[in-house]
Amino acid sequence: MTAVQGTDVDIATEDGTADAYLAHPADGAAHPAVLVFMDAFGLRPQLRSMADRLAAEGYTVLVPNVFYRHGRAPLFDLPEFIDPGARPELFERIVPVMQGLTNERAMRDAGAFLSWLDGSPAVADGPVALTGYCMGARLSLLTAGTYPERVAAAAGFHGGRLATDTPDSPHLVAGKVTAELYFGHADQDPSLPEEQIERLEGALTAAGVRHRCEVYTGAPHGFTQADTASYHQEGDERHWSALLDLLKRTF
C-alpha cells in the first residue's frame, strides 16, 4: 500500500476562500489529479478516507468544501453514523444550503479548483479526472461540460436530478463534454427516476460522448457512504472497481 500524505488547504475563489482536503502519495512526486465533489453531508472523515484510498492508488486528490460560503467544514452537526430517518432535522439545514449552490456559482468554484490544481507541485501536467457523489455527481457532469479542455474523465455515483426538464439540467451540457464518463445509479432512487436515467443516456449517446451508465440493483441512494444508513457494501465495492478502471483508462 502506498503511503499517503493528507493536508488541509485553502483555495481562493471569486466568492471567498474554500477549505479543502488534499491527499497524495508521500513520495514527493507529481501525480495525476482527481477532483472529488462531495455529497450533501459535506467534507468529513468519510470523504477524507475515500480521498486517501484514491491517493494510495497513485493520484493527487482534492476534496473541496463546496458549501464554503456558509462556513468551514464541518458545516453541519453530524453524528459519527448518519441516519437521516432518525434525524430528519438534518435536511432542514442542508436543503437550503444545497439550493443556494446554483450552477453558476458551482462552476465558478470549479474553475478555481482546477486552477489551484494546475498550480500545485503535487499535480502532474495534463487534464484531471472528476468524481462526485449524490449532489456531487451533478457537479461532476457540469464541470466536464464547462471545462472540457481540462477534464479527461468524470464519474458520478448515486447522483440525483441529472436529467430534469428544467433549463439548468446537467444533462444539457452533454454536447460540450469531451471526457469519458461513467455513472453508477442507485436502484429505485427517487432523486433519479427511470425517465431521467433514459434522458441522460439519450443525451450522452446523441452527443457522441464516450460513456457507460449502470444501475446498481439493490443499492440505495448514498450507497458509497460508509458512515450513513444508506451504505451498501456490494454497491460500494462495485463503485471502486468502476472508478479505478475509468482512471486507469484515461490517465
Side-chain angles (χ1 to χ4, degrees):
M1 181 68 69
T2 301
V4 169
Q5 180 178 343
T7 55
D8 293 324
V9 298
D10 285 344
I11 299 173
T13 75
E14 292 185 32
D15 297 332
T17 301
D19 50 310
Y21 179 66
L22 181 74
H24 55 84
D27 57 7
H31 296 271
V34 181
L35 175 57
V36 177
F37 287 113
M38 66 187 215
D39 63 356
F41 295 126
L43 179 55
R44 60 194 191 282
Q46 165 65 18
L47 291 181
R48 292 170 186 262
S49 175
M50 293 174 73
D52 290 347
R53 180 168 174 176
L54 269 178
E57 295 288 340
Y59 303 102
T60 293
V61 186
L62 181 69
V63 192
N65 167 25
V66 302
F67 291 158
Y68 71 90
R69 291 175 180 83
H70 299 268
R72 300 179 71 87
L75 191 61
F76 310 112
D77 180 19
L78 298 173
E80 289 187 13
F81 182 76
I82 304 168
D83 184 355
R87 293 190 59 184
E89 72 277 5
L90 266 179
F91 281 102
E92 294 178 7
R93 283 208 63 199
I94 292 173
V95 170
V97 175
M98 288 178 59
Q99 292 174 338
L101 187 63
T102 64
N103 289 0
E104 181 182 4
R105 287 176 176 174
M107 290 306 97
R108 284 204 306 269
D109 293 345
F113 303 149
L114 292 170
S115 293
W116 190 91
L117 287 169
D118 278 343
S120 171
V123 175
D125 292 339
V128 308
L130 317 170
T131 187
Y133 301 89
C134 298
M135 60 166 247
R138 172 176 69 90
L139 301 182
S140 183
L141 176 54
L142 286 169
T143 302
T146 305
Y147 301 97
E149 72 287 352
R150 292 289 296 116
V151 179
F157 297 91
H158 45 82
R161 299 183 59 79
L162 295 176
T164 70
D165 55 6
T166 61
D168 63 347
S169 177
H171 80 286
L172 297 176
V173 304
K176 299 178 181 178
V177 172
T178 58
E180 181 176 348
L181 305 185
Y182 178 90
F183 290 97
H185 305 310
D187 187 25
Q188 299 181 7
D189 185 347
S191 71
L192 194 75
E194 185 175 353
E195 59 267 25
Q196 287 197 40
I197 293 176
E198 293 175 353
R199 187 179 293 140
L200 175 63
E201 177 74 34
L204 296 177
T205 299
V209 177
R210 292 169 297 150
H211 72 281
R212 182 181 301 170
C213 296
E214 298 181 322
V215 176
Y216 289 22
T217 302
H221 182 80
F223 62 80
T224 63
Q225 302 303 303
D227 62 344
T228 76
S230 299
Y231 182 66
H232 185 267
Q233 183 176 358
E234 182 181 346
D236 185 33
E237 292 174 354
R238 183 176 174 183
H239 134 260
W240 278 111
S241 178
L243 177 59
L244 293 174
D245 283 348
L246 176 67
L247 297 179
K248 289 172 184 176
R249 287 198 304 273
T250 51
F251 279 138

